[in-house]
Amino acid sequence: HWWILPLLIGLFLLGSGIEGTTGDWSYTELTAHRLLSSGTAGLSVSLFWIGLAAGRMGLGMLGHRLGATRLLDVCLSLVVLATLAFWLAPPLISAFRALPLLGLAISVIFPLLLSLTPARVGRAMTAHAVGYQLAAGTLGAGGFPGVRAIPWRNSREPMCGRWGPGPALPLSPIWWHARQPDCATTCL
């Protein structure tokens, strides 16, 4: 079952990277480039974090009623949609629709992927897989925001310029491949 591990690691890296970058840089994007006031941008970013917290609390209370695979299907698609909307929509829609939706949608990815790990890689490989996944998540959450700051510092282009929805676009195809029943024996 080790063949699926690179796919799961990729999902952790990208998902945590999107979460970290959005949390770290959306205020700057909204104030410096979308020209929203500090108060408006601050409220919007707060709604992102509220969406993140609400999604995780909702998963804890209601997650047993929904299938983890189906919930990941929906949430990963919503992450792509919300990231595209944040990138393309006018500033107030980006701030008050796309950003909170992104927080809500991305909130469940990390815990759901962890809960599915034993079924995807097998019990014998689970401890190792979780370690690699957590390491990838840490690299994504810490590395993506820093890497994103380098071109911005030098060019002052909008934070969503070349970055845009780029990291979100591969999420759904990677998950689609990883969720296939025979993936554990035929991936990569």
Side-chain angles (χ1 to χ4, degrees), residues 21 25 28-29 33 145 148-149 152 157-164:
T21 301
W25 286 109
T28 302
E29 169 68 19
H33 300 290
R148 180 59 199 114
W152 182 78
E157 74 175 31
M159 290 304 294
C160 291
R162 285 183 232 143
W163 181 263

Side-chain angles (χ1 to χ4, degrees), residues 22-166:
T22 303
D24 289 353
W25 286 109
S26 56
Y27 177 84
T28 302
E29 169 68 19
L30 291 170
T31 56
H33 300 290
R34 307 281 180 104
L35 305 177
L36 295 179
S37 70
S38 295
T40 301
L43 177 60
S44 172
V45 174
S46 295
L47 292 174
F48 166 78
W49 290 110
I50 289 169
L52 194 84
R56 289 195 176 146
M57 287 188 299
L59 180 64
M61 292 186 293
L62 303 172
H64 65 284
R65 295 181 183 185
L66 305 168
T69 301
R70 184 169 309 276
L71 190 55
L72 272 169
D73 290 344
V74 170
C75 288
L76 287 168
S77 297
L78 285 175
V79 166
V80 173
L81 177 70
T83 306
L84 283 168
F86 185 78
W87 186 43
L88 298 172
L92 289 175
I93 293 173
S94 292
F96 290 107
R97 302 273 171 114
L99 206 51
L101 177 61
L102 181 56
L104 184 67
I106 206 155
S107 68
V108 300
I109 294 171
F110 196 93
L112 285 176
L113 285 173
L114 278 176
S115 72
L116 290 173
T117 299
R120 302 309 303 158
V121 301
R123 288 203 177 274
M125 185 80 177
T126 296
H128 300 290
V130 167
Y132 290 127
Q133 291 170 8
L134 293 177
T138 301
L139 285 173
F144 276 41
V147 167
R148 180 59 199 114
I150 294 168
W152 182 78
R153 184 189 67 199
N154 294 328
S155 70
R156 298 290 185 211
E157 74 175 31
M159 290 304 294
C160 291
R162 285 183 232 143
W163 181 263

